[in-house]
Amino acid sequence: MSTYVDRVIEETRKKNPDQPEFLQTVTEVLTSVAPVVDAHPEYEKAALLERLVEPERQVMFRVAWVDDEGKPHVNRGYRIQFNGALGPYKGGLRFHPTVNLSILKFLGFEQVFKNSLTTLPIGGGKGGSDFDPHGKSDAEIMRFCQAFMTELQRHIGPNTDVPAGDIGVGGREIGYLFGQYRRVRDSWDNGVLTGKPLTYGGSLIRPEATGYGVLYYAKNVFAHENDTLEGKTVVLSGYGNVAWGAAKKIAEMGGKAVTISGHNGYVYDPDGIVTEEKINYLLEMRASKNANVKMYADKFGCQFFEGKKPYEVKADVYIPCATQNEVGMDEAKLIVDAGAKYYFEGANMPATNEALAYLQEHGVIVGPAKAANAGGVAVSALEMSQNSERLSWTSEEVDAKLNTIMTSIHDESAKAAEKYGFGYDLIKGANIAGFVKVADAMMSQGLF
Ligand code: NDP
């Protein structure tokens, strides 16, 4: 392998010893693109990889807010502006107690290549806070969002950095964040955030986009294998925004999602999460103050497996939609033992590098996160276009564009893998296709 790639991975390791998630994705991406780097000696002369692994800017700030009893709390806020070579920084905000620099740098780094793959003019960024929305009242969420945006507004704008949602940040939080941005800036810049409600510039299909996108991407993989989703069972993890969109599209495509999960266990529904009532209930759970996956088991009379992950259920297709590194070697072995042929990542980096290698070595086709879940950010970029035009597109228009983008991501990934001798390896293909465009843009813009 390229000695330049090895050296940069090693240097990144030394510089960021306390950031395991960030190092995991840097190792995965740079290892994949080594053949491209070897073919371009000019990259090393321009210190391209050293610049690629260093965020252009990272902001950390204090967020002080009061709870309903008047007690003050202090959280930490972040925004990582990772790479702006292709457009304004773009990427979600995550509110979760596990948020730290390593998590946000891994998400920001992934976002750079994901956004490149969409072919839309967006750079990569990510942000959030270690604030835990679980168990908070609506008023507490609003006060936290207002305090967070009071500082964040200095660093973002429709042409500089456009955040969206992620874990713990949905339409409600985006609404409070936008309200505070507007109050402080006194300017109608609705292109500053995406994932907004429809009444002030949100896009139709944005809530569904990540989950739908995973299935549109999967459709191309099935076509490649002369197969379809019809009659297949699917194990989903998570029960949030991405899992909801995925469940909806799986049912439409004739498949059957049989599990959902949360931090405390999973629910098995052998009849499938296929009716409108069941699918819509996921939204209700996600929005409730004490959101918990067990609510589904209680309501629909299915089994809840406390403290367990859904990968012990046998299925034809596995689609993790919860959080990072939930698929380790144990789970990868369960997927292979189930005889599954397909694994698509709705969540970001849901598997360890070791687990991914095991799945691929055992013939499972892996649709990696930066390709399979790019539909969310793609429709966010379409929301930015609509905001710039001051027009709204129909759901059919947005959905058709999303479908086309996901097909192009699949095809470009497959082509890049083939070109560099990796056959139908969609992980390497996505990394290479995403990387080439960012590398070209950085080379053309000179050293900075
Ligand atoms: P939500 O906040 O809507 O849902 C998060 C889900 O993940 C919940 O079911 C939650 O369960 C579960 N979860 C969170 N932490 C853990 C944990 N430590 N262990 C097990 N389960 C956990 O988030 P999204 O659906 O928006 O995001 C899910 C994933 O998809 C994330 O990886 C995100 O980065 C990725 N993604 C999201 C996009 C979007 O458009 N929203 C776009 C692309 C990727 P519980 O409440 O019980 O903790």
Side-chain angles (χ1 to χ4, degrees), residues 94 96 98 107 114 126 134 165-169 206 210 237-243 261-264 286 291-293 321-324 326 346-348 373-374 376-377:
R94 177 176 290 192
H96 195 272
T98 56
L107 288 163
K114 179 188 308 193
K126 201 80 191 187
H134 281 98
D166 190 78
I167 292 179
V169 179
R206 175 60 189 93
T210 308
S237 73
Y239 63 90
N241 174 264
V242 179
S261 72
H263 67 282
N264 55 341
R286 165 76 178 73
N292 175 353
V293 72
C321 300
T323 192
Q324 62 277 350
E326 59 165 316
N348 282 310
N373 75 26
V377 74

Side-chain angles (χ1 to χ4, degrees), residues 14 29 34 44 77 100 109 115 179 195 221 229 232 237 252 284 287 311 327 336 375 384 389 404-405 407 416 431:
K14 282 198 186 128
V29 172
E44 187 167 4
N100 58 34
F109 190 69
N115 293 4
V221 174
L229 186 66
K232 288 193 168 51
S237 73
E252 261 179 62
E284 225 177 281
Y311 303 95
V327 178
V336 168
M384 290 164 71
E389 283 188 337
T404 307
I405 290 168
T407 296
N431 283 332

Side-chain angles (χ1 to χ4, degrees), residues 176-191:
Y176 293 144
L177 290 164
F178 179 67
Q180 185 69 355
Y181 181 90
R182 195 167 72 74
R183 176 157 70 169
V184 175
R185 299 285 282 257
D186 195 19
S187 173
W188 184 257
D189 295 331
N190 66 350

